[in-house]
Amino acid sequence: MPVIQANKISHQFENGETLFEDISCSMSARRVGLVGRNGIGKSYLADILTKEQTPTTGSVTVRGKVLRYSQLPSSLLSSSLTVAQFLEQDNILYALARIEQGEYDSHLFEIVGEQWELKQALSTQLKALGLPDQVDFPCNKLSGGQLARLQLWQLFESDADLLVLDEPSNHLDQEARQWLVAQMAQFAGHILLISHDRILLREMEQIWELSPLGLNQFGGNYDFYHQQKSLERSALERQLDAVNSEQKRLEVQAQKNHEKAQQRESQGNRIRKSGSQPKMLLDGAKNSAENSLSNRLKNENSRRTMLEQKQRHLSERYEQIKQQKIYLDSGTNGRGTAINMVEAVLPFGHALAFNFKLEATQKLHLSGPNGCGKSTLMKVLQRQLVLPSGELQINRPVCYLDQHFGLLSGQLSMLENMLHHCSGLLEIDARTLLAGVGFRRDSVFRLVSQLSGGEKMKLAMLIVSHQPESPILLLDEPDNHLDLDSKIVLAQALKSYQGAFILVSHDKDFVNESGVECQFEFEG
């Protein structure tokens, strides 16, 4: 029996804008991945499917208990809750503490029940999760990855029939992601996963893709989905080519028919002037020719209209599924060493001295568990922090890009950001460059604060690739909030980038697709 049954649901905002409409689906599979471009409405759809929101039209049936993971609620980060309070075990721990102090109130024993080893068990579990093992540790002191892991562990230990996991791996390092994969496999209930993480999506039994075309369901994991999308793109490309060829053939044939009609008309006029044939016979031939021409033109116009409609329909479909691309300036290669560190000791994180070198065109993956010193090294290279000891030499400009693309000024437009960050760039050239990545006409005046993650990424990469000298890119998990298409686009752009970069990312697929040539690993 399906855990979710939705019938012709739609969601419309108060301003009348429709996010999606007429969607029907049934979730019987134990593991379903929901994918789609940023801003398409995946979280809204999940809210409606789990009855947290009411659809504008349609109906939903949900069977069983539903729990949900959302990315780091600010209320928890700003609260004074301890780990024990968050796990709702504080009453039992308080009762245990009072009993240990010599109190013998029967109510305390009722609260404890059989859980006499709870404190030790929780401490052991917290340590295994990579968290501080103190049960009274404040949640707001935990890192993003630690807090995510704590929340997820609580959900996997619950009696829920359905877990909705919205981007659960965004703050997890590689080890924590493997832990998450194992937890998902062991969970007895159903899972609806909203994610752009291909490692997690490969563990799914079905992939549901939300797009402007509706909800399309694929009966396999991410690799099967990716293969089917490639086949669909290829099929549409072939159909578009066939329609374009037919349109050209029609126009060529129409031109030939037009020329033949003109020749026949000219011949008839010559015969009429010569008087060699009766006028009645010539008039009959002329009427027959005009009727034939009229019918042929009607057929041609009908065929032309049909092909135009088919071409428009195919183009609209193809526009939704085609692979995006960014065409960047090739820049200057440069030579020599870009960064050199000798016997360096970081102010935080990694405690041991190390040597580090990056050549002028080298593409490096900086790896290691959360808290090992990756972000600290990035700050040192930006001159925000100073090495307590060791040598640092940076021979090229440095440009820092994080997951929010903080290089960009949110209150400036796309065009203003280009002109501000690209010294000497003319407005007409900036508009041409922006048009090349899909920002045309008045769209260049949109504020950066209004852009999606993928749009910010395109703008940021356009800016850094049009600097006078290709800067060293410091990329601190830039793929973290990007949808699948945008991740692929960014990886392709980085692969073609002529300068050096240092990339921090826990997504193996993204790292491999970015053209990384070497790795530097911090141990925990």
Side-chain angles (χ1 to χ4, degrees):
M1 184 176 293
V3 67
I4 295 176
Q5 186 80 46
N7 183 42
K8 294 186 176 181
I9 59 174
S10 65
H11 180 77
Q12 191 176 59
F13 295 111
E14 291 182 358
N15 63 4
E17 179 185 352
T18 298
L19 190 60
F20 50 78
E21 60 183 343
D22 202 27
I23 286 178
S24 296
C25 58
S26 175
M27 181 176 170
S28 298
R30 292 182 61 246
R31 304 288 182 265
V32 173
L34 178 59
V35 301
R37 293 179 181 176
N38 289 338
I40 199 66
K42 300 184 297 296
S43 295
Y44 279 102
L45 178 60
D47 284 345
I48 290 173
L49 292 178
T50 54
K51 305 194 81 168
E52 290 190 22
Q53 286 197 51
T54 302
T56 307
T57 61
S59 61
V60 176
T61 301
V62 179
R63 296 176 176 86
K65 180 179 178 180
V66 180
L67 293 178
R68 181 166 185 164
Y69 171 85
S70 296
Q71 300 177 54
L72 298 180
S74 58
S75 59
L76 188 56
L77 286 170
S78 61
S79 75
S80 59
L81 288 178
T82 65
V83 170
Q85 289 172 328
F86 171 71
L87 296 174
E88 298 181 346
Q89 302 291 338
D90 51 308
N91 286 341
I92 300 174
L93 293 171
Y94 178 70
L96 281 170
R98 289 179 61 184
I99 292 172
E100 288 174 359
Q101 293 170 3
E103 296 188 38
Y104 293 96
D105 189 329
S106 61
H107 179 61
L108 298 177
F109 286 87
E110 290 176 4
I111 294 174
V112 173
E114 300 297 324
Q115 301 189 70
W116 295 100
E117 304 298 327
L118 177 63
K119 184 175 181 179
Q120 183 58 42
L122 276 180
S123 295
T124 301
Q125 182 61 53
L126 291 172
K127 188 174 183 180
L129 290 171
L131 276 64
D133 60 3
Q134 304 101 321
V135 294
D136 57 351
F137 194 87
C139 288
N140 57 21
K141 299 289 186 183
L142 295 174
S143 69
Q146 289 174 327
L147 191 53
R149 203 158 173 174
L150 178 65
Q151 292 174 276
L152 289 165
W153 176 70
Q154 183 192 41
L155 293 176
F156 287 124
E157 291 295 309
S158 72
D159 60 349
D161 299 288
L162 170 64
L163 294 183
V164 179
L165 306 180
D166 193 348
E167 298 288 0
S169 63
N170 264 5
H171 297 275
L172 301 183
D173 58 25
Q174 196 59 47
E175 179 186 352
R177 289 183 184 213
Q178 293 304 320
W179 169 85
L180 176 56
V181 168
Q183 292 294 309
M184 289 169 56
Q186 296 169 13
F187 182 67
H190 295 259
I191 292 177
L192 177 61
L193 171 72
I194 307 170
S195 180
H196 306 301
D197 189 324
R198 285 168 280 190
I199 291 176
L200 301 186
L201 292 171
R202 287 191 178 99
E203 303 300 317
M204 299 295 103
E205 298 170 14
Q206 292 182 3
I207 300 294
W208 293 1
E209 181 191 47
L210 184 62
S211 76
L213 302 175
L215 186 69
N216 199 3
Q217 302 178 46
F218 298 81
N221 69 359
Y222 170 78
D223 291 328
F224 177 81
Y225 156 79
H226 182 68
Q227 180 187 43
Q228 294 301 306
K229 293 292 289 184
S230 297
L231 292 173
E232 184 181 2
R233 275 194 297 270
S234 298
L236 279 174
E237 287 168 357
R238 288 194 298 272
Q239 292 177 60
L240 277 168
D241 287 342
V243 169
N244 291 334
S245 297
E246 180 64 18
Q247 286 176 317
K248 290 177 181 178
R249 191 199 65 76
L250 177 63
E251 295 307 318
V252 169
Q253 187 61 48
Q255 180 62 29
K256 287 180 179 180
N257 292 338
H258 178 67
E259 291 172 356
K260 287 181 181 179
Q262 285 184 323
Q263 290 172 359
R264 285 194 294 269
E265 183 180 2
S266 178
Q267 184 181 16
N269 289 336
R270 286 197 300 271
I271 294 172
R272 188 181 294 275
K273 286 180 180 180
S274 69
S276 60
Q277 293 186 20
K279 183 176 181 299
M280 184 177 295
L281 179 64
L282 291 174
D283 288 344
K286 181 180 179 181
N287 290 336
S288 177
E290 288 176 347
N291 289 333
S292 177
L293 176 62
S294 176
N295 289 333
R296 188 167 62 248
L297 289 175
K298 286 180 181 177
N299 290 335
E300 286 176 359
N301 288 333
S302 176
R303 179 67 176 162
R304 187 177 288 110
T305 300
M306 185 194 73
L307 288 172
E308 288 175 351
Q309 291 175 343
K310 188 173 183 180
Q311 199 267 353
R312 185 165 54 252
H313 174 68
L314 290 172
S315 296
E316 288 174 354
R317 285 183 58 198
Y318 185 67
E319 190 66 28
Q320 300 302 326
I321 68 170
K322 73 176 183 180
Q323 288 186 313
Q324 304 174 67
K325 290 183 179 179
I326 302 180
Y327 297 99
L328 301 176
D329 185 38
S330 58
T332 55
N333 289 327
R335 294 180 180 179
T337 299
I339 297 174
N340 190 33
M341 303 177 75
V342 180
E343 291 297 312
V345 175
L346 295 178
F348 308 104
H350 191 74
L352 302 177
F354 63 93
N355 297 323
F356 178 89
K357 181 180 285 189
L358 183 75
E359 299 299 330
T361 60
Q362 201 168 31
K363 299 173 179 179
L364 180 142
H365 177 217
L366 179 61
S367 64
N370 290 338
C372 69
K374 299 188 298 295
S375 295
T376 303
L377 176 58
M378 291 289 201
K379 290 179 180 178
V380 168
L381 296 178
Q382 295 173 72
R383 306 289 191 182
Q384 293 181 4
L385 294 175
V386 178
L387 294 175
S389 65
E391 298 178 12
L392 169 63
Q393 185 178 13
I394 303 178
N395 301 319
R396 298 179 73 84
V398 169
C399 184
Y400 177 73
L401 292 179
D402 61 0
Q403 58 191 278
H404 304 294
F405 300 97
L407 160 78
L408 305 174
S409 302
Q411 298 310 308
L412 296 180
S413 69
M414 286 185 278
L415 180 59
E416 289 170 330
N417 267 277
M418 283 289 295
L419 297 175
H420 174 72
H421 290 291
C422 300
S423 177
L425 185 66
L426 299 177
E427 180 174 336
I428 187 171
D429 295 328
R431 292 183 72 114
T432 300
L433 292 171
L434 287 166
V437 294
F439 304 124
R440 297 179 175 86
R441 300 183 181 88
D442 289 345
S443 67
V444 301
F445 299 115
R446 288 173 59 197
L447 296 180
V448 164
S449 59
Q450 299 171 342
L451 302 182
S452 69
E455 290 171 328
K456 288 180 181 177
M457 176 272 295
K458 290 181 183 180
L459 177 60
M461 287 304 300
L462 196 62
I463 288 172
V464 300
S465 73
H466 286 82
Q467 299 301 306
E469 187 177 9
S470 298
I472 305 165
L473 302 187
L474 306 180
L475 305 163
D476 196 355
E477 301 194 63
D479 57 310
N480 217 9
H481 295 288
L482 297 181
D483 59 44
L484 286 169
D485 285 347
S486 296
K487 279 191 177 190
I488 293 171
V489 170
L490 177 56
Q492 291 170 342
L494 291 175
K495 188 173 183 178
S496 65
Y497 183 65
Q498 297 297 306
F501 67 69
I502 299 173
L503 171 64
V504 176
S505 175
H506 300 297
D507 187 325
K508 286 184 177 179
D509 291 290
F510 177 74
V511 171
N512 293 335
E513 293 165 1
S514 297
V516 164
E517 302 161 333
C518 57
Q519 178 170 303
F520 186 89
E521 182 175 6
F522 278 132
E523 296 182 359

